[in-house]
Amino acid sequence: MTMTQHKTFTIRPATAADAEHLVHFTVSASKGLSLITWEDAKQPGETAMDAGLRRAREGTGGFSFRKADVAEFEGEVMSGIVSYPIAPDGQSDTSDIPEVFRPLVILEERAGASWYINILATYERARGHGAASRLIQHVEARAKAAGEARISIVVDAVNPAMKLYEHLGFEEVSREPFGQSGDDHPEGHWVLMIKRI
């Protein structure tokens, strides 16, 4: 696929048929952490990816096509976003949460009441052409219509997309080091960014 720098993307709600795209975007955006969750959710005969696909298609829970939108170019899905309102109470007990997920839960609590972008990712071939920006603008309009005053997102501190978020008006609010990781995953930080709308 060839795209020039300024393309018009069609934004639409995701459907169950977009589950494979949503799984790909989620694995990419979560740095593979979603596979740990899906491993625990497997049913007999399923792989972790199968469990992710099933959950995306079911239409219930936090990871569902019903909470997702996609950006298309010439009928082909290029980017996806999973977002929804949150209102953490600041009382979450993280003692039973696997260590690798604790910093994410802590930062989500710090986000407070906001429209939370849980997943945002773009296929490599489409990066740099504005799909993610269009999805964020779409979500911002939805958040305003729902009466939200802020949008929040948690991102890896070395993710080049941080510059995009800053350009779109997000500001760093807090950061937490990654949970314990193996030798092939050096410690880094998750960063909570918030935009007032």
Side-chain angles (χ1 to χ4, degrees), residues 45-158:
E46 282 187 331
T47 65
M49 291 293 281
D50 292 336
L53 283 167
R54 176 174 44 80
R55 293 181 74 177
R57 290 179 181 131
E58 283 175 349
T60 59
F63 178 61
S64 158
F65 75 87
R66 294 189 193 282
K67 294 184 177 174
D69 297 284
V70 296
E72 288 183 330
F73 176 70
E74 295 183 348
E76 189 177 351
V77 172
M78 294 291 135
S79 188
I81 194 167
V82 176
S83 68
Y84 42 83
I86 60 170
D89 60 13
Q91 305 297 318
S92 291
D93 178 7
T94 61
S95 60
D96 291 337
I97 297 171
E99 187 175 354
V100 72
F101 292 110
R102 285 182 197 160
L104 298 169
V105 173
I106 289 167
L107 290 172
E108 189 173 317
E109 287 283 350
R110 289 180 189 159
S114 61
W115 193 281
Y116 183 59
I117 298 173
N118 188 358
I119 300 295
L120 175 59
T122 302
Y123 284 121
E124 189 171 350
R125 66 186 180 275
R127 289 177 188 160
H129 295 281
S133 295
R134 284 278 292 116
L135 282 168
I136 290 172
Q137 291 163 357
H138 173 76
V139 163
E140 182 175 334
R142 286 181 59 202
K144 281 183 181 176
E148 297 291 341
R150 307 179 320 151
I151 301 174
S152 59
I153 189 169
V154 174
V155 62
D156 178 356
V158 298

